[in-house]
Each structure stands twice: as structure tokens, then as C-alpha cells.
Amino acid sequence: MPSVDINTITFDSGSFTVTPDQAKRLSTIAEAINRTIRDNPQEVFLIEGYTDAVGADIDNLSLSDRRAQSVAAVLTQDFQVPPENLTTQGYGEQNLKVNTQEANRENRRVTVRRITPLLQQQAEGQQPPAPR
């Protein structure tokens, strides 16, 4: 599924805090998510967190989870995106935006992905066979 980089949100090294000025910049994406949910209350969006390549893999994975959760919390608390329509996942330093092993703010980011079609396919694949 295609994703949208939230280029207005990057994190300090080792941080998962969304600063107040960055939180305001989430309004456009929040409006789009809320509009989509109004049209279909079953829509689900995945908030993905990433880190740069500095630090231990396990630490980066945990940090990226917290980054995704922080953005989801801002969307829910500040912009009333229903929490049941969001899920989060951290990917650590996978899929670096800038291919470098050095510290890089652009790699410390979040993306949003509409995953409703994937969930529907999964649900259809798990349905019992139709009676004959």
C-alpha cells in the first residue's frame, strides 16, 4: 500500500517527542484521515515509525515504535482522529530515506499508510469456504 511521508515531523536523536510546533503541522493529514473515516468508519491507517542507522538495532526498533505511538497520540488527542482507526508499528532503521550510516534527521520520521484494503483481503482469505 502506498505511504505518505510526514515530512513536517522529524525527531531529535534518541527522542520520540512531537514538539508543539510540529504537532500543529499534522492538521492537514488529520483532516484527510478524518474525512476518509467519515466516508467509511471502517478505514484503518498505519502510523509507521523509523530511526536513523545510529545506535543498536533493538533500541532503534523500540524508539521507532514510540515515535509512531507519539504521532498517533497527537492525531487522537489534538485532532480527534478515532484511536480505533489507527494502528502503529516501528521499523527501526529499515527503509532509510537517506542511505547513510551517519546520524540523519530525515531518517528519524513517520509515515502514514491506509491499510484498509490489506485488512479486507486478509479477512476475505480467512472466511470459511461457501457451502455447496
Side-chain angles (χ1 to χ4, degrees):
M1 302 272 71
S3 66
V4 174
D5 277 340
I6 303 177
N7 295 323
T8 57
I9 306 288
T10 58
F11 298 88
D12 290 336
S13 185
S15 173
F16 56 90
T17 300
V18 178
T19 62
D21 65 309
Q22 288 183 326
K24 292 177 195 172
R25 298 181 207 151
L26 288 171
S27 65
T28 302
I29 194 82
E31 288 171 16
I33 291 172
N34 279 327
R35 188 171 43 252
T36 304
I37 292 169
R38 275 193 302 276
D39 291 343
N40 177 8
Q42 303 304 311
E43 292 285 353
V44 179
F45 293 86
L46 174 63
I47 311 297
E48 303 171 329
Y50 296 93
T51 65
D52 58 22
V54 176
D57 288 346
I58 192 75
D59 294 335
N60 283 342
L61 193 57
S62 174
L63 182 58
S64 64
D65 273 330
R66 288 189 186 111
R67 287 177 176 164
Q69 291 165 1
S70 291
V71 169
V74 169
L75 290 170
T76 298
Q77 294 165 7
D78 294 4
F79 300 103
Q80 291 70 53
V81 173
E84 62 270 17
N85 295 89
L86 299 176
T87 189
T88 61
Q89 179 65 52
Y91 293 100
E93 62 187 70
Q94 292 180 36
N95 303 316
L96 294 172
K97 188 172 184 175
V98 177
N99 190 12
T100 179
Q101 295 300 301
E102 303 297 320
N104 185 287
R105 190 171 190 95
E106 287 182 67
N107 286 328
R108 299 188 299 261
R109 70 196 193 282
V110 291
T111 62
V112 176
R113 188 182 307 268
R114 180 179 164 263
I115 62 169
T116 309
L118 291 175
L119 297 174
Q120 289 169 339
Q121 287 175 352
Q122 186 180 35
E124 290 169 6
Q126 294 178 355
Q127 291 178 351
R132 295 182 182 211

